[in-house]
Amino acid sequence: MAARNLNRKLPLVAIYGPTASGKTSLAISLAKQYDGEIICADSRTVYKGMDIGTAKPSIGEQNGVPHWGLDLVEPGQAFSAADFKRYADEKIAEIRGRGHIPYLVGGTGLYMDAVVFDFKFGGKADTQLRQQLEKMSIEKLQDYCVKNNIELPENDKNKRYLIRAVERSQEPIGGKSEPLSTSIIVGIATDKSVLRKRIGDRTEQIFDDNVVEEATLLGKKYGWESEAMTGNIYPLLRRYLEGEFSLDEVKDKFTTLDWRLAKRQLTWLKRNPYIKWLPLTEAKSYLDRVLANE
């Protein structure tokens, strides 16, 4: 079903939510119903080959709905929020040019907000910034990352890794005080106990999908020190393959890491007063009503 009454720009439907909240399945359902295409706003799924460990939408899920924002760069290549903003703006224009509705979906708050609030970014990290960061303690760098939704490196007690994480973030230097007028914004509200269970279930699923083999191949191809390999589940799998952890220990540690990620994501997202927070089924009903009248 195509959205109707298109006397103004096709809306940008922005669906916010922490990892494992169900936002992807909601977006796919709506995109199939209302002629849409999905842009994934996730700092982990931009990397090629990292399919299972980053919980990318499967080939089956992508069937029938164009997905963008996946497999953009090789592990080890730099990719910032500014890079994502440029990419997403281009895709939104292309999707609208086809008469379709763009769905921006993700838990990386900086990526989402960069598009919705039309952030402007500065240049690459300079010498002055590096000097300022060098003066900060490890604790202050960690706190800075958490407050600014910068994903902590796996070794978050390594000052060099923390500084690189900050520099890669390319913080915005300006943006609109309100969302783009053509945007419809919702957030997936999930009970904490339910979200924790969903994260645990997804951990089991990615191991069933053979994430160990994926990590082994990626480690050989790109090296375990590659930037993308120092985050998410991959450092834990390296230690499993080296005999340091058992499989059950890796699962427990990864579930804890993803839970912490979800809490950091929520801390960022809750700052946005324009997000309409709804449980998954209510979000579907709400967006059905809005899009049917567009």
Side-chain angles (χ1 to χ4, degrees):
M1 179 190 301
R4 298 191 295 271
N5 301 329
L6 300 179
N7 57 338
R8 65 179 180 87
K9 285 185 178 179
L10 289 156
L12 170 65
V13 180
I15 303 177
Y16 287 75
T19 187
S21 59
K23 57 189 178 295
T24 299
S25 61
L26 171 61
I28 290 171
S29 173
L30 290 166
K32 287 180 177 178
Q33 188 174 356
Y34 297 102
D35 257 358
E37 301 184 33
I38 294 172
I39 302 170
C40 299
D42 188 313
S43 62
R44 302 190 296 186
T45 60
V46 298
Y47 293 109
K48 296 177 182 177
M50 295 184 161
D51 303 329
I52 302 169
T54 62
K56 286 179 187 172
S58 67
I59 298 300
E61 288 175 316
Q62 294 182 48
N63 185 35
V65 178
H67 279 66
W68 306 101
L70 305 173
D71 305 320
L72 301 182
V73 292
E74 299 283 344
Q77 285 185 259
F79 191 84
S80 68
D83 294 324
F84 178 79
K85 167 67 161 50
R86 286 189 291 271
Y87 173 86
D89 284 349
E90 291 176 2
K91 288 303 173 187
I92 288 169
E94 291 173 10
I95 292 167
R96 283 175 168 156
R98 291 189 282 271
H100 294 170
I101 295 175
Y103 292 80
L104 183 69
V105 185
T108 301
L110 184 56
Y111 281 21
M112 295 285 290
D113 287 352
V115 178
V116 172
F117 291 92
D118 194 22
F119 284 175
K120 308 300 179 187
F121 289 86
K124 299 289 184 183
D126 56 24
T127 304
Q128 185 177 4
L129 173 61
R130 170 58 71 97
Q131 290 174 347
Q132 291 174 347
L133 296 173
E134 290 283 3
K135 293 176 183 177
M136 296 171 68
S137 67
I138 288 175
E139 291 75 18
K140 286 186 176 180
L141 285 166
Q142 291 170 336
D143 186 57
Y144 184 90
C145 288
V146 171
K147 287 181 177 178
N148 291 279
N149 197 41
I150 298 169
E151 187 170 352
L152 288 167
E154 177 66 21
N155 186 354
D156 62 3
K157 294 180 175 58
N158 184 303
K159 190 170 185 176
R160 180 170 62 89
Y161 285 6
L162 287 163
I163 289 172
R164 286 169 67 187
V166 173
E167 289 180 326
R168 287 199 315 274
S169 71
Q170 279 191 267
E171 289 186 274
I173 59 174
K176 298 181 184 299
S177 59
E178 296 183 352
L180 298 171
S181 60
T182 55
S183 58
I184 301 167
I185 304 171
V186 299
I188 307 305
T190 309
D191 179 83
K192 288 185 178 180
S193 62
V194 173
L195 184 59
R196 185 69 185 253
K197 183 180 185 306
R198 288 176 67 98
I199 289 172
D201 290 344
R202 193 172 66 180
T203 295
E204 292 296 332
Q205 184 61 55
I206 68 171
F207 276 89
D208 288 345
D209 291 341
N210 210 350
V211 70
V212 176
E213 181 181 1
E214 177 182 84
T216 303
L217 294 173
L218 289 168
K220 289 179 180 177
K221 183 174 182 179
Y222 298 105
W224 291 101
E225 300 304 324
S226 171
E227 195 64 45
M229 293 294 288
T230 61
N232 196 30
I233 196 172
Y234 300 105
L236 294 174
L237 290 171
R238 178 185 186 180
R239 295 165 80 176
Y240 163 71
L241 291 168
E242 292 174 349
E244 184 177 347
F245 293 149
S246 69
L247 201 59
D248 285 340
E249 286 176 319
V250 172
K251 289 180 180 180
D252 288 343
K253 290 178 182 296
F254 179 59
T255 298
T256 299
L257 283 177
D258 246 18
W259 174 240
R260 289 174 181 169
L261 170 64
K263 290 194 291 184
R264 291 200 304 273
Q265 290 172 327
L266 284 168
T267 297
W268 173 281
L269 300 180
K270 291 293 186 181
R271 296 173 182 171
N272 185 342
Y274 298 98
I275 296 176
K276 186 178 182 67
W277 290 96
L278 295 166
L280 195 58
T281 54
E282 291 182 28
K284 174 66 166 64
S285 298
Y286 168 73
L287 290 170
D288 270 333
R289 292 195 302 271
V290 174
L291 292 171
N293 290 316
E294 282 296 319

